[in-house]
Amino acid sequence: MADLPRILPTEITPERVYERRREFLKGSLALALYGTLPAHAALPAWRKTAWGRDESPNSWEEITTYNNFYEFGTGKDDPAKNAGSLKTRPWTVSVEGECLKPRAWDIDALVKAFPLEERIYRLRCVEGWSMVIPWLGFPLAGLIRQAQPTGKAKYVEFATLHDPKQMPGQRWPVLDWPYVEGLRLDEAMHPLTMLVVGLYGKELPNQNGAPIRLVVPWKYGFKSAKSIVRIRFVEKQPATAWPRVLPREYGFYSNVNPAVDHPRWSQARERRIGEFFKRKTEMFNGYGEQVAGLYAGMDLKRYF
Amino acid sequence: MRRDDDSVTGGGTRILRQAFLVTPFTSRFSRHAVFLLCLLPLARLIVLGFSGGLGANPIEFVTRSLGTWTLSFLLITLTITPLRRLTGQGHWLRYRRMLGLFAFFYGVLHLTSYLWLDQFFDWMEILKDIYKRPFITVGMTAFLLLVPLAATSNDRAVRALKRNWKRLHRLVYLAAILGVLHYWWLVKLDVTQPAVYAAVLVVLLGLRLWWRWQVGHPRGRG
């Protein structure tokens, strides 16, 4: 009897954790590995945050080879194949429009001007798949405050680079180039909204929207404009890329909403890349606690 | 369909005939070869599956691939009659049944991947999908149209149905049209690929209409 090993209750892995051991291994391995990779010279120091620490991120491979970035082709593997032609230096982001302090930011100055942090966010694509991604960036609110928007600034418009030489997909009129996205000023100021310059602690790969992109985790992925060259404060709701070509299928708000289906397919469930079974899609992609207040009293079926 | 006739299809036919000349030796083995060839798309998926080559979203890759191959085999099946007419060689007919059955085979796999990998046999969801989503509705209809065709593809059914067999099997035209529509409505924005299938189908059906029209309007009589 005395030889029996004594197992403390604290040493027993809870069943829920045990059942997720593969996910856990995958996630922690990925996290551990990227720490050992040589850091890219261009990125200053950054800090980790609590955002998404309970999630297991998708692999670097998954995040960088399965992309929607029509500027490089409409296939999921096109961006990874074709985005090499994009030159991300020198790069200027023009902050302009209804603000007191417009400024043409050099990308390297911009990256140094705001403290970088890592946040692990869920990303839900309007097509019905999702990923978990460790982004590196800073809240957009900081940049907006510096620009000092005027009372006329009700919306913020984001424009992607328009250069068919660097972006071969723009040689075909699939979308009305350049890609334009937009947010209401309060959405843009929300602490969850980020400008992203990195991924897994490294500089953002071209196919993911280098050198700088938007990430709005409670909205469908296409709202998060990539390779941004212009941020403009405007009074009227911007005419954004997807509603412009298919107004019946895509709205300006495009909040993740399992109760509002795409006219051609259901939004109730999603396939998390790397998982076999589909999972239920959560209202506001699970960020309702933080953002539901932005839409109080709004009919989200109408403002889809 | 009328019998092949040089006076209708013209002198170009002779060149085509020579290009597609089949010797007794090749014809004996060709059916086995075509059979194996038809299995290649499936073999490719299996190899890719085991070598991790299906990308980040393997289930979507498999479902899409099986779908486009179903459509491809439908269109390939529909090229047999035009090929026979243009080359004046009846031997093409020997592949038609096999190709049609392969279209059905890939259709079954495509449907299975939807029912299983996409919906996990949630029948309520599936019924809702069929009712609510036009692209699923037409896809499912196209598949159901193929079922009686596959079921009556054997020699006994051909003999038993006599002339009705031909009438019944004209459903394949409708199935192909619905199949292309299914693909077209599924695509988010860039319809290049469904447009290619649509163009091929227009040519294949157009040829038939043209030949039909010619029967009523023989050359030389105006």
Side-chain angles (χ1 to χ4, degrees):
Chain A
M1 287 298 267
D3 291 342
L4 271 180
R6 287 164 61 111
I7 301 170
L8 292 169
T10 50
E11 286 179 313
I12 299 170
T13 309
E15 197 181 346
R16 264 186 59 213
V17 175
Y18 178 76
E19 279 168 351
R20 292 184 61 213
R21 64 197 180 280
R22 277 160 207 271
E23 274 174 61
F24 177 77
L25 270 175
K26 211 173 84 182
S28 51
L29 201 68
L31 281 167
L33 276 178
Y34 85 80
T36 67
L37 291 167
H40 198 287
L43 283 185
W46 47 275
R47 67 182 182 89
K48 286 181 184 261
T49 66
W51 284 106
R53 267 212 289 226
D54 51 338
E55 301 269 4
S56 41
N58 282 91
S59 68
W60 170 269
E61 177 81 10
E62 287 165 337
I63 297 168
T64 59
T65 59
Y66 192 77
N67 307 95
N68 276 326
F69 198 172
Y70 280 17
E71 279 78 349
F72 297 106
T74 55
K76 292 280 183 297
D77 51 352
D78 286 342
K81 280 189 222 149
N82 303 331
S85 51
L86 177 68
K87 286 180 190 67
T88 57
R89 293 294 186 286
W91 189 279
T92 309
V93 181
S94 165
V95 178
E96 56 185 55
E98 293 294 339
C99 62
L100 297 177
K101 292 193 169 164
R103 175 172 173 180
W105 283 91
D106 172 68
I107 184 66
D108 292 315
L110 184 56
V111 169
K112 282 181 201 121
F114 300 92
L116 295 184
E117 51 187 73
E118 181 183 75
R119 296 186 184 186
I120 300 169
Y121 277 167
R122 293 177 290 276
L123 177 133
R124 167 65 154 80
C125 178
V126 74
E127 295 166 353
W129 54 269
S130 63
M131 287 196 194
V132 176
I133 306 176
W135 300 115
L136 200 57
F138 55 90
L140 172 63
L143 181 70
I144 293 181
R145 271 189 214 103
Q146 275 215 359
Q148 298 181 22
T150 67
K152 274 185 162 176
K154 300 282 189 287
Y155 295 89
V156 189
E157 185 187 277
F158 306 85
T160 299
L161 175 71
H162 185 201
D163 182 358
K165 277 199 206 87
Q166 295 186 57
M167 298 181 144
Q170 290 176 334
R171 288 170 206 163
W172 289 272
V174 190
L175 287 162
D176 197 358
W177 313 113
Y179 195 93
V180 168
E181 256 312 331
L183 296 172
R184 233 168 43 192
L185 186 61
D186 58 345
E187 295 176 324
M189 290 290 291
H190 193 278
L192 278 181
T193 306
M194 282 179 98
L195 282 176
V196 160
V197 295
L199 170 66
Y200 264 123
K202 291 197 279 183
E203 198 166 280
L204 203 59
N206 288 357
Q207 62 266 37
N208 293 84
I212 188 161
R213 65 168 294 172
L214 188 65
V215 168
V216 194
W218 72 92
K219 290 174 180 283
Y220 292 120
F222 70 86
K223 288 298 290 180
S224 297
K226 305 188 184 84
S227 305
I228 294 171
V229 291
R230 196 181 68 230
I231 299 175
R232 182 192 282 164
F233 298 97
V234 293
E235 196 176 356
K236 300 233 160 61
Q237 183 177 299
T240 54
W242 281 93
R244 225 157 55 194
V245 286
L246 293 169
R248 219 176 57 82
E249 303 193 354
Y250 305 96
F252 175 78
Y253 284 94
S254 290
N255 292 315
V256 175
N257 189 341
V260 177
D261 284 343
H262 185 279
R264 288 185 286 150
W265 56 82
S266 164
Q267 295 292 27
R269 292 184 303 151
E270 67 200 50
R271 170 158 283 119
R272 176 70 50 84
I273 298 302
E275 289 181 359
F276 186 72
F277 291 104
K278 282 189 170 179
R279 49 167 75 208
K280 283 206 162 97
T281 290
E282 290 180 76
M283 187 65 201
F284 297 118
N285 202 22
Y287 298 101
E289 202 183 310
Q290 289 84 24
V291 303
L294 292 170
Y295 311 102
M298 267 176 80
D299 178 2
L300 295 177
K301 279 201 162 62
R302 188 169 162 220
Y303 297 101
F304 60 93
Chain B
M1 291 284 157
R2 355 174 326 139
R3 287 204 44 161
D4 309 298
D5 180 345
D6 248 329
S7 68
V8 175
T9 40
T13 319
R14 243 162 278 135
I15 300 161
L16 277 168
R17 269 186 198 175
Q18 276 155 18
F20 287 97
L21 207 65
V22 172
T23 67
F25 174 77
T26 52
S27 74
R28 202 181 319 154
F29 292 98
S30 60
R31 247 200 302 197
H32 300 288
V34 170
F35 184 86
L36 290 175
L37 218 56
C38 291
L39 282 172
L40 277 184
L42 180 64
R44 170 176 165 262
L45 286 180
I46 294 168
V47 169
L48 284 177
F50 279 105
S51 62
L54 294 173
N57 197 346
I59 292 173
E60 179 195 61
F61 189 105
V62 167
T63 307
R64 289 274 178 112
S65 173
L66 291 170
T68 48
W69 277 110
T70 306
L71 210 45
S72 300
F73 274 106
L74 269 179
L75 296 184
I76 293 168
T77 310
L78 288 176
T79 56
I80 294 299
T81 297
L83 269 179
R84 187 166 61 118
R85 279 192 73 120
L86 292 171
T87 63
Q89 300 221 351
H91 70 88
W92 290 106
L93 212 54
R94 73 174 65 218
Y95 309 114
R96 192 169 66 179
R97 170 165 30 189
M98 181 165 55
L99 290 167
L101 280 170
F102 264 108
F104 183 69
F105 170 70
Y106 281 101
V108 168
L109 293 180
H110 175 60
L111 177 65
T112 308
S113 72
Y114 162 74
L115 296 177
W116 178 32
L117 302 176
D118 206 64
Q119 298 288 354
F120 303 105
F121 303 111
D122 183 342
W123 299 108
M124 275 318 293
E125 274 301 312
I126 290 164
L127 286 177
K128 243 168 53 189
D129 240 14
I130 294 172
Y131 174 73
K132 275 177 82 172
R133 322 266 167 230
F135 90 91
I136 304 262
T137 318
V138 295
M140 199 60 90
T141 310
F143 177 78
L144 291 177
L145 290 176
L146 291 181
V147 173
L149 308 195
T152 59
S153 63
N154 53 71
D155 289 336
R156 243 182 48 201
V158 178
R159 276 194 301 272
L161 286 167
K162 296 191 182 103
R163 295 190 56 183
N164 286 329
W165 188 89
K166 206 164 197 173
R167 273 189 213 155
L168 176 68
H169 279 248
R170 285 199 183 118
L171 283 177
V172 72
Y173 302 137
L174 186 56
I177 292 169
L178 293 178
V180 169
L181 207 56
H182 170 64
Y183 193 10
W184 197 288
W185 284 345
L186 148 88
V187 167
K188 194 162 120 196
L189 181 64
D190 180 9
V191 290
T192 315
Q193 287 198 35
V196 170
Y197 284 88
V200 173
L201 184 61
V202 164
V203 169
L204 292 175
L205 297 184
L207 275 174
R208 287 169 167 84
L209 286 174
W210 167 243
W211 283 327
R212 214 155 214 254
W213 182 81
Q214 276 194 328
V215 174
H217 303 76
R219 201 189 291 185
R221 269 194 275 158

